[in-house]
Amino acid sequence: MLAVLALALPLALPPVGNLTFAQTAPEAEPEDPSILPAGDGQEETFYACSACHSTAIIRRSAFTREQWDGLMDWMVEKQGMNPLEAADRRQIVDYLAQHFGPRASPRGRNPFLN
Ligand code: HEC
């Protein structure tokens, strides 16, 4: 029931330094899961991770699996994310590591198509 959890999270957060880009980036349409690369975990990741910020902050990141896993703890401890269930967390971290790992760095992509 990730979607329900995500919707229950606070939607209004004060502006934070690192989010400037995400908040000011022109997003003409509301995002939906297809903004993320297709694959196992696409929807779960989208609904768990887009409650507080746009997925731009994810799409421009390139972390190892260990770093993504650590980020889940940081998001819970420092940003108030509801802890993910173990199976969901594994699926989401696998998905993030596969699509947003160091080798699939968004920095290598055309920013105008991002
Ligand atoms: C409860 C709200 C919340 C949820 C849910 C959330 N985040 Fe975040 N996240 C934040 C906030 C707030 C920041 C900015 C913190 C800052 O600027 O220091 C952030 C920052 C980030 C960053 C940037 C980290 C950096 O410093 O480079 C990434 C990547 C990220 N989130 C990924 C995710 C992923 C992946 C998920 C889903 C598993 C997720 N977030 C879910 C609140 C949330």
Side-chain angles (χ1 to χ4, degrees):
M1 286 291 94
L2 274 173
V4 176
L5 280 178
L7 289 173
L9 290 167
L11 293 172
L13 287 171
V16 203
N18 285 351
L19 283 181
T20 311
F21 167 77
Q23 286 174 337
T24 55
E27 306 265 12
E29 304 285 327
E31 294 188 323
D32 71 65
S34 69
I35 191 129
L36 294 174
D40 187 37
Q42 177 193 25
E43 290 204 355
E44 290 77 1
T45 303
F46 179 82
Y47 289 113
C49 304
S50 61
C52 304
H53 46 64
S54 96
T55 63
I57 202 167
I58 298 169
R59 288 180 282 120
R60 67 166 193 239
S61 301
F63 298 133
T64 63
R65 193 183 191 289
E66 288 67 34
Q67 288 172 320
W68 279 119
D69 198 51
L71 197 90
M72 296 301 101
D73 292 330
W74 179 79
M75 211 64 71
V76 170
E77 287 162 21
K78 303 285 187 210
Q79 312 304 340
M81 183 174 85
N82 286 352
L84 299 166
E85 284 174 31
D88 293 334
R89 176 168 171 155
R90 196 176 324 112
Q91 183 183 35
I92 288 170
V93 171
D94 283 347
Y95 174 85
L96 290 167
Q98 183 183 346
H99 295 281
F100 302 101
R103 267 182 294 177
S105 171
R107 288 179 195 99
R109 291 184 206 146
N110 183 337
F112 299 103
L113 297 177
N114 210 4

